[in-house]
Amino acid sequence: MRKIEMVDLKIQYSKLSREIDDAIRSVIASSAFIRGPEVKIFEEKLQKYLGEVHVVSCGNGTDALQIAMMALDLKPGDEVITTNFTFISTVEVVALLGLKLVLVEPDPRTYNISPDAVRKAVTSRTRAIVPVHLFGQCAHMESIMDIAAEHGLYVIEDAAQATGTDYISAGGTRKKAGTIGTIGTTSFFPSKNLGCYGDGGALYTGDPDLAEKIRSIANHGMKVKYHHDNIGVNSRLATIQAAILNVKLKYLDEFNNSRSAVADYYDEAFAGCKSLITPERSSFSTHIFHQYTVRVTDGRRDELRNYLAGKNIPSMIYYPGPLHFQNAYRYLGYREDDFPVTSKLCREVLSLPMHPDLEQEQLDHIAINVLEYLNKE
Ligand SMILES: *Cc1c(COP(=O)(O)O)cnc(C)c1O
């Protein structure tokens, strides 16, 4: 049996190597390493894939969040509400820009930001809400957009883990994750559902003026060379990365469907297991399973993880520590027990291997060993 990986980028490359090698070679031959034609081609292709939205590429998903907040002119002291259960980037840029970070609890079933918690956290100083579409499934965007409209707030969707996810409105219309709020951001980090071979990111917005401002900020605040209208940053998608993404975007839906089939297998295998909660499938979102994250409710999560490691089955804890209790964020003044839902999730969650190339033999090995351990007294 092939070695099981959380994400197997080597096997994916082996299947696409001819196309990818050609794409990289042609960029090197042209030597247009920055702002080469492949970047624009990729932005247009992604735009077509996402629907009615402008796409601006940038250096990575963390920069995308920062550029979004800069483009919306958020100022020190402005309050930004986001979830306490996410990757650090989301809160990092808020802190970095001197904005006031307001953390709220996730919904324990979907792991996504709780709209009720957001509503309770709104004050007269709130300027923006940052929902994160965690693990590949959308947060409840209609509720969040309603709260935003009521209070005149911006919504920045962190769609780094949800490239290709559909949000399904109550009326049944579908929109891609990241295209609903004021601005959507994403990451092309290698292990994301649409990943390049280094760092990369993008922003989406339906507002053409805002798109132009975002494009300028990502490139030193310039529209015309050496004329700086905004304070900007240096955050560009390298041409080689865009060329790789042009190949991989063609296969994104296929890859996401394969992930979904893996998730169906896990769901079924674990259906009768009392000490394990499989991921909720929301009625208002598709799920592209950036991660397949279960909750181990009998207190043996860490022991299970060790047991699996002994059987050559990797697993990961996304995310182990509530953000409000990380050393860098103690200045916020939260108490450890301020977020019981987040803390409980941090003790219970376990992400299992998830990628499009998992083989049946590997899946059986994972499921048998998870169940063998949990069914033991
Ligand atoms: C990966 C990720 C980011 C950051 O993306 P980078 O490209 O690594 O900077 C931001 N938010 C979430 C939720 C992520 O998973």
Side-chain angles (χ1 to χ4, degrees), residues 241-275:
Q241 302 305 343
I244 292 165
L245 290 166
N246 279 331
V247 174
K248 287 182 67 173
L249 180 57
K250 288 190 291 188
Y251 301 99
L252 177 62
D253 285 342
E254 186 186 320
F255 291 161
N256 285 343
N257 288 338
S258 301
R259 287 172 179 271
S260 203
V262 170
D264 289 344
Y265 171 88
Y266 282 145
D267 278 358
E268 201 169 311
F270 302 142
C273 184
K274 286 191 189 66
S275 41

Coordinates of all heavy atoms in Angstrom, one line a residue, residues 241-275:
Q241 N 3.6 30.7 -10.9 CA 2.4 30.1 -10.1 C 1.1 30.2 -10.8 O 0.3 29.3 -10.8 CB 2.4 30.9 -8.7 CG 3.6 30.8 -7.9 CD 4.1 29.4 -7.6 OE1 3.4 28.4 -7.8 NE2 5.4 29.2 -7.2
A242 N 1.0 31.4 -11.5 CA -0.3 31.5 -12.3 C -0.4 30.5 -13.4 O -1.4 29.9 -13.7 CB -0.3 32.9 -12.9
A243 N 0.8 30.2 -14.0 CA 0.8 29.1 -15.1 C 0.4 27.8 -14.5 O -0.3 27.0 -15.2 CB 2.2 29.1 -15.7
I244 N 0.9 27.5 -13.3 CA 0.5 26.2 -12.7 C -1.0 26.2 -12.4 O -1.7 25.2 -12.6 CB 1.4 26.0 -11.4 CG1 2.9 25.8 -11.8 CG2 0.9 24.8 -10.6 CD1 3.9 25.9 -10.7
L245 N -1.4 27.3 -11.9 CA -2.9 27.4 -11.5 C -3.8 27.3 -12.7 O -4.9 26.7 -12.7 CB -3.1 28.7 -10.7 CG -2.5 28.7 -9.3 CD1 -2.5 30.2 -8.8 CD2 -3.3 27.8 -8.4
N246 N -3.3 27.8 -13.9 CA -4.1 27.7 -15.1 C -4.3 26.2 -15.5 O -5.3 25.8 -16.0 CB -3.4 28.4 -16.3 CG -3.7 29.9 -16.2 OD1 -4.7 30.3 -15.8 ND2 -2.7 30.7 -16.7
V247 N -3.3 25.4 -15.2 CA -3.4 23.9 -15.4 C -4.4 23.3 -14.4 O -5.4 22.6 -14.7 CB -2.1 23.2 -15.3 CG1 -2.3 21.7 -15.4 CG2 -1.1 23.7 -16.4
K248 N -4.2 23.7 -13.1 CA -4.9 23.0 -12.0 C -6.4 23.4 -11.9 O -7.2 22.6 -11.5 CB -4.2 23.1 -10.7 CG -2.9 22.3 -10.7 CD -2.1 22.3 -9.4 CE -2.9 21.7 -8.2 NZ -2.0 21.6 -7.0
L249 N -6.7 24.7 -12.3 CA -8.0 25.1 -12.2 C -9.0 24.3 -13.1 O -10.1 24.0 -12.7 CB -8.1 26.6 -12.7 CG -9.5 27.3 -12.7 CD1 -10.2 27.2 -11.3 CD2 -9.4 28.7 -13.1
K250 N -8.4 23.7 -14.2 CA -9.3 22.9 -15.1 C -9.8 21.6 -14.3 O -10.8 21.0 -14.7 CB -8.4 22.4 -16.3 CG -8.1 23.5 -17.3 CD -7.5 22.9 -18.5 CE -6.1 22.3 -18.2 NZ -5.3 21.9 -19.4
Y251 N -9.0 21.2 -13.3 CA -9.3 19.9 -12.7 C -9.9 20.2 -11.3 O -10.2 19.2 -10.6 CB -8.0 19.1 -12.5 CG -7.3 18.8 -13.8 CD1 -6.3 19.5 -14.2 CD2 -7.8 17.7 -14.5 CE1 -5.7 19.2 -15.4 CE2 -7.2 17.4 -15.8 CZ -6.1 18.2 -16.2 OH -5.6 17.8 -17.4
L252 N -10.2 21.5 -10.9 CA -10.6 21.7 -9.6 C -11.9 21.0 -9.2 O -12.0 20.4 -8.1 CB -10.8 23.3 -9.4 CG -11.3 23.7 -8.0 CD1 -10.4 23.3 -6.9 CD2 -11.6 25.2 -8.0
D253 N -12.9 21.1 -10.1 CA -14.2 20.4 -9.7 C -14.0 18.9 -9.6 O -14.6 18.3 -8.7 CB -15.3 20.8 -10.8 CG -15.8 22.2 -10.6 OD1 -15.6 22.8 -9.6 OD2 -16.4 22.7 -11.6
E254 N -13.2 18.3 -10.5 CA -13.0 16.9 -10.5 C -12.3 16.5 -9.2 O -12.7 15.6 -8.5 CB -12.1 16.6 -11.7 CG -11.8 15.1 -11.9 CD -10.7 14.9 -13.0 OE1 -10.8 15.7 -14.0 OE2 -9.9 14.1 -12.9
F255 N -11.3 17.3 -8.8 CA -10.6 17.1 -7.5 C -11.6 17.2 -6.3 O -11.6 16.4 -5.4 CB -9.5 18.0 -7.3 CG -8.3 17.9 -8.2 CD1 -7.4 18.9 -8.4 CD2 -8.1 16.7 -8.9 CE1 -6.3 18.7 -9.3 CE2 -7.0 16.5 -9.7 CZ -6.1 17.5 -9.9
N256 N -12.4 18.2 -6.3 CA -13.4 18.4 -5.2 C -14.4 17.3 -5.2 O -14.8 16.9 -4.1 CB -14.0 19.8 -5.3 CG -13.1 20.9 -4.9 OD1 -12.1 20.7 -4.3 ND2 -13.5 22.2 -5.3
N257 N -14.8 16.8 -6.3 CA -15.7 15.7 -6.3 C -15.1 14.4 -5.8 O -15.7 13.6 -5.0 CB -16.2 15.4 -7.8 CG -17.2 16.4 -8.3 OD1 -17.8 17.2 -7.5 ND2 -17.3 16.6 -9.6
S258 N -13.8 14.2 -6.1 CA -13.1 13.1 -5.5 C -13.0 13.2 -4.0 O -13.1 12.2 -3.2 CB -11.7 12.9 -6.1 OG -11.8 12.8 -7.5
R259 N -12.8 14.4 -3.5 CA -12.7 14.6 -2.0 C -14.1 14.3 -1.4 O -14.2 13.7 -0.3 CB -12.4 16.1 -1.7 CG -11.0 16.5 -2.0 CD -10.9 18.0 -1.8 NE -9.5 18.5 -2.0 CZ -8.6 18.6 -1.1 NH1 -8.9 18.3 0.2 NH2 -7.4 19.1 -1.3
S260 N -15.1 14.7 -2.1 CA -16.5 14.5 -1.6 C -16.7 12.9 -1.5 O -17.4 12.5 -0.6 CB -17.4 15.1 -2.6 OG -18.6 15.4 -2.0
A261 N -16.2 12.2 -2.5 CA -16.4 10.7 -2.5 C -15.7 10.1 -1.3 O -16.2 9.2 -0.6 CB -16.0 10.1 -3.8
V262 N -14.5 10.7 -1.0 CA -13.8 10.2 0.2 C -14.6 10.5 1.5 O -14.7 9.6 2.4 CB -12.4 10.9 0.3 CG1 -11.7 10.6 1.6 CG2 -11.5 10.4 -0.8
A263 N -15.1 11.7 1.5 CA -16.0 12.1 2.7 C -17.2 11.1 2.9 O -17.5 10.7 4.0 CB -16.4 13.5 2.6
D264 N -17.8 10.8 1.7 CA -19.0 9.9 1.8 C -18.5 8.5 2.4 O -19.3 7.9 3.2 CB -19.5 9.7 0.4 CG -20.3 10.9 -0.2 OD1 -20.6 11.8 0.6 OD2 -20.5 11.0 -1.4
Y265 N -17.4 8.1 1.9 CA -16.9 6.8 2.5 C -16.7 6.9 4.0 O -17.1 6.0 4.7 CB -15.6 6.4 1.8 CG -14.9 5.2 2.4 CD1 -15.2 3.9 2.0 CD2 -14.0 5.4 3.5 CE1 -14.7 2.8 2.6 CE2 -13.4 4.3 4.1 CZ -13.8 3.0 3.7 OH -13.2 1.9 4.3
Y266 N -16.0 8.0 4.4 CA -15.8 8.1 5.9 C -17.1 8.2 6.6 O -17.3 7.6 7.7 CB -15.0 9.4 6.2 CG -13.5 9.4 5.9 CD1 -12.8 10.5 5.4 CD2 -12.7 8.3 6.2 CE1 -11.5 10.5 5.2 CE2 -11.3 8.3 6.0 CZ -10.7 9.4 5.5 OH -9.4 9.5 5.3
D267 N -18.0 9.0 6.1 CA -19.3 9.2 6.8 C -20.0 7.8 7.0 O -20.5 7.6 8.1 CB -20.3 10.0 5.9 CG -20.1 11.5 6.0 OD1 -19.2 11.9 6.8 OD2 -20.8 12.3 5.3
E268 N -20.0 7.0 6.0 CA -20.7 5.7 6.1 C -19.9 4.8 7.0 O -20.5 4.1 7.9 CB -20.7 5.1 4.7 CG -21.8 4.1 4.5 CD -22.0 3.7 3.1 OE1 -22.1 4.6 2.2 OE2 -22.0 2.5 2.8
A269 N -18.6 4.8 6.9 CA -17.8 3.9 7.8 C -18.0 4.2 9.3 O -18.0 3.3 10.1 CB -16.3 4.0 7.4
F270 N -18.1 5.5 9.6 CA -18.2 5.9 11.0 C -19.6 6.1 11.5 O -19.8 6.5 12.6 CB -17.4 7.3 11.2 CG -16.0 7.2 10.8 CD1 -15.4 8.2 10.1 CD2 -15.2 6.0 11.0 CE1 -14.0 8.2 9.7 CE2 -13.9 5.9 10.6 CZ -13.3 7.0 10.0
A271 N -20.6 5.8 10.6 CA -22.0 6.1 11.0 C -22.5 5.6 12.3 O -23.1 6.2 13.1 CB -22.9 5.6 9.9
G272 N -22.1 4.3 12.7 CA -22.5 3.8 13.9 C -21.7 4.0 15.1 O -22.0 3.6 16.2
C273 N -20.6 4.8 15.0 CA -19.6 4.9 16.1 C -20.1 6.0 17.0 O -20.2 7.2 16.7 CB -18.3 5.3 15.5 SG -17.0 5.4 16.7
K274 N -20.3 5.6 18.3 CA -20.9 6.5 19.3 C -19.9 7.6 19.8 O -20.4 8.7 20.1 CB -21.3 5.7 20.5 CG -22.6 4.9 20.3 CD -23.1 4.3 21.6 CE -24.2 3.3 21.3 NZ -23.7 2.1 20.6
S275 N -18.6 7.4 19.7 CA -17.7 8.4 20.3 C -17.1 9.3 19.2 O -16.2 10.0 19.4 CB -16.6 7.8 21.1 OG -16.2 6.6 20.4

